[in-house]
Amino acid sequence: MEVKELLVVFEKMYLQENEIKEKITIRVQVLFTLILAVITVSSYMLRMLDLERYISVSASIIASLVVFYAGLAVSTKYAIRAFWGNTFKQMPPAVEVRGYCSALIIYNEEVEKAKSAHGAEAEVIDVRAEIDTYLCNVYEECATHNSEINQERSRKVHESFKWLLRSFVPLGIAGILFVGFDMDVSSPRKNFQVIDKYVGDQIGGVRNSIDLIASQVVELRKSYMSESKKTGNKPGGQSENVTVPLKTGAPVKPSGPPVRIVLEDDRSQSIEVSDEQRKK
């Protein structure tokens, strides 16, 4: 085959390997999405697992999830290697190729000058053929290297999918046990107690305040009773020794009993109210 025909073939192979590289990258991204999805499902089962209902079933679910995470770790390792750390060869920039072409033209001019001046035996090269040969060699090198890298990446993606599918088996077992035995602690079919620590603390504080007020009321009542005994007054606030006014001349109009004011703490006080105040 001529160089021009090889150039066309190698160029197509080079472009094809670039397309394969992008397709493999998309497959790896899909793989990462699946891994994150199953991690979310398994994390929910672990977080909401009812450890008090069936201990044996809970242990089986945890053991299945441990096996699942082991297989998932291997799958993730291959996925990361397929996505990261791979080197590809690309064509040199167009500026460098143009510079190489200009260098060849200058080389031919210098050869012509050397032949005319010194009779040098150097021959003028065909710039177009030289560029075609150069491009053919570069396309061949890049396509070959990229093909090897893509094959290795494809193998890693295959291994990652294989281990991911294997890890689905223990995850499926854990899911069946989780749903079949209703191991979700937040299931609406279960009667569970909701404990609000903040509300409980507030209720406890109110209860302590009520107890403190009750104890103060008892102490005040005791102190009032002791004061009543010392002054000789009955608890009702009336004195046992009633002074009978002496009849000296015109009778004196008796005054009504004093008004009793009872406070909220059950401590009584006797306040004298005059007739003028009572009329008001």
Side-chain angles (χ1 to χ4, degrees):
M1 296 181 65
E2 296 182 358
V3 175
K4 291 185 178 181
E5 296 177 353
L6 291 175
L7 177 61
V8 174
V9 173
F10 291 157
E11 182 181 3
K12 290 181 179 179
M13 294 177 63
Y14 170 78
L15 296 176
Q16 183 180 6
E17 294 301 329
N18 285 340
E19 293 178 359
I20 294 174
K21 180 188 71 171
E22 298 300 328
K23 291 180 180 179
I24 294 175
T25 301
I26 294 174
R27 291 175 59 190
V28 175
Q29 291 174 353
V30 173
L31 190 58
F32 279 129
T33 303
L34 293 175
I35 291 174
L36 291 177
V38 295
I39 287 177
T40 302
V41 174
S42 61
S43 299
Y44 176 82
M45 286 194 290
L46 279 179
R47 185 172 62 89
M48 305 305 294
L49 181 62
D50 191 355
L51 299 176
E52 298 179 356
R53 183 166 182 150
Y54 301 110
I55 298 178
S56 59
V57 177
S58 299
S60 300
I61 292 175
I62 293 175
S64 299
L65 289 178
V66 169
V67 177
F68 159 72
Y69 281 122
L72 190 66
V74 178
S75 176
T76 304
K77 180 188 72 173
Y78 280 111
I80 292 174
R81 289 182 177 179
F83 184 78
W84 191 263
N86 301 288
T87 58
F88 293 89
K89 289 186 177 182
Q90 300 292 331
M91 290 292 295
V95 176
E96 295 184 3
V97 177
R98 180 63 178 268
Y100 177 65
C101 181
S102 300
L104 292 178
I105 295 174
I106 295 173
Y107 171 79
N108 285 339
E109 294 176 355
E110 292 179 351
V111 169
E112 292 291 341
K113 292 179 181 179
K115 288 176 64 177
S116 60
H118 307 287
E121 297 181 355
E123 296 293 335
V124 177
I125 61 176
D126 187 354
V127 176
R128 179 173 296 180
E130 190 69 22
I131 292 296
D132 290 342
T133 303
Y134 165 76
L135 293 177
C136 182
N137 294 333
V138 172
Y139 277 128
E140 180 184 6
E141 180 181 357
C142 293
T144 303
H145 177 80
N146 294 346
S147 176
E148 295 175 355
I149 297 298
N150 285 333
Q151 289 179 1
E152 183 64 20
R153 292 181 69 201
S154 297
R155 186 188 66 82
K156 292 175 182 178
V157 171
H158 175 75
E159 291 292 330
S160 181
F161 268 111
K162 182 178 70 174
W163 282 100
L164 181 61
L165 293 177
R166 288 179 178 178
S167 64
F168 282 166
V169 176
L171 180 63
I173 295 174
I176 292 173
L177 294 176
F178 186 80
V179 176
F181 288 91
D182 196 13
M183 299 298 292
D184 191 347
V185 73
S186 63
S187 175
R189 292 182 292 274
K190 295 182 180 180
N191 294 323
F192 57 93
Q193 184 179 8
V194 178
I195 300 176
D196 194 329
K197 187 176 183 300
Y198 175 77
V199 175
D201 293 340
Q202 295 299 319
I203 293 175
V206 173
R207 185 176 300 170
N208 294 332
S209 300
I210 293 174
D211 294 338
L212 181 60
I213 293 173
S215 63
Q216 292 178 354
V217 169
V218 173
E219 292 178 359
L220 291 173
R221 184 177 297 173
K222 290 180 180 180
S223 64
Y224 170 72
M225 295 298 293
S226 61
E227 290 177 359
S228 298
K229 289 180 180 180
K230 289 180 181 179
T231 57
N233 295 333
K234 294 182 180 179
Q238 297 179 355
S239 176
E240 294 181 354
N241 300 324
V242 179
T243 303
V244 180
L246 297 176
K247 296 181 179 181
T248 57
V252 179
K253 182 180 178 180
S255 60
V259 177
R260 185 168 63 97
I261 298 177
V262 181
L263 303 179
E264 293 180 354
D265 56 0
D266 293 339
R267 183 173 59 185
S268 300
Q269 288 183 347
S270 296
I271 300 178
E272 296 291 341
V273 180
S274 63
D275 293 338
E276 296 179 357
Q277 291 178 351
R278 186 181 293 108
K279 289 180 181 180
K280 292 180 181 180

